[in-house]
Amino acid sequence: MEQTLSIIKPDAVAKSVVGKILSRFEDAGLRIAATKKIQLSRADAEAFYAVHAERPFFGELVDFMISGPVVVTVLEGEDAMTKNRDLMGATNPKEAQAGTIRADFAESIDANAVHGSDSVENAAIEIAFFFAQKDIS
Ligand code: CMP
């Protein structure tokens, strides 16, 4: 069974659509193997998104990700990484297909409701960033 990491970002948490988003994962056959609501520190956000450190949007991305609590979740199931990305829709909600999480709940490319791992290799790294193995079941 494949695992992937989802982050419900501060905009979606503030809008109280956490339950709706988690339901979409479960309705698509993905199992919640671990989940928690946390406030990221600046150091956490900078480390998590280190791959984007040189991009012009890095500062805004980090500011946004620490603007309120997030919900981090390990999703498990067949093709979990790809399934989650299909459910999320395009990074820019204006380009996201109707019925996707970002089309339905996101406002902008910064406040885009959710993050999902973009490869199985990165999923393992991102899961380990937030969860100890004993917390995943
Ligand atoms: P996420 O999947 O969390 O990965 C990095 C985030 O950077 C992305 O979602 C967007 O919210 C944000 N971002 C802002 N501007 C851009 C951009 N031009 N290209 C890609 N990601 C961007």
Side-chain angles (χ1 to χ4, degrees):
M1 273 298 163
E2 194 169 289
Q3 292 183 338
T4 193
L5 185 87
S6 160
I7 304 178
I8 302 180
K9 296 188 180 186
D11 56 322
V13 174
K15 275 194 228 168
S16 296
V17 291
V18 171
K20 286 183 179 159
I21 292 173
L22 293 178
S23 287
R24 289 193 181 203
F25 298 145
E26 292 190 322
D27 291 348
L30 294 174
R31 212 174 58 74
I32 293 170
T35 193
K36 60 184 174 185
K37 183 180 184 183
I38 54 172
Q39 172 66 51
L40 295 179
S41 67
R42 183 168 292 278
D44 290 335
E46 285 176 351
F48 183 79
Y49 280 118
V51 65
H52 294 305
E54 303 307 321
R55 307 284 290 273
F57 57 82
F58 183 66
E60 277 170 38
L61 171 61
V62 169
D63 285 347
F64 176 67
M65 290 302 290
I66 66 173
S67 66
V70 298
V71 174
V72 289
T73 300
V74 178
L75 297 172
E76 188 175 274
E78 206 175 308
D79 296 325
M81 187 278 291
T82 303
K83 242 184 212 169
N84 179 40
R85 291 186 69 81
D86 290 347
L87 291 169
M88 291 194 302
T91 306
N92 185 345
K94 291 178 180 65
E95 293 163 9
Q97 250 179 35
T100 59
I101 292 168
R102 284 168 169 158
D104 291 346
F105 301 119
E107 305 304 326
S108 68
I109 196 163
D110 293 308
N112 67 348
V114 279
H115 165 83
S117 309
D118 65 0
S119 69
V120 175
E121 294 71 29
N122 282 341
I125 295 167
E126 293 185 354
I127 288 168
F129 187 90
F130 287 112
F131 293 97
Q133 200 52 47
K134 68 176 173 48
D135 296 325
I136 303 171
S137 57

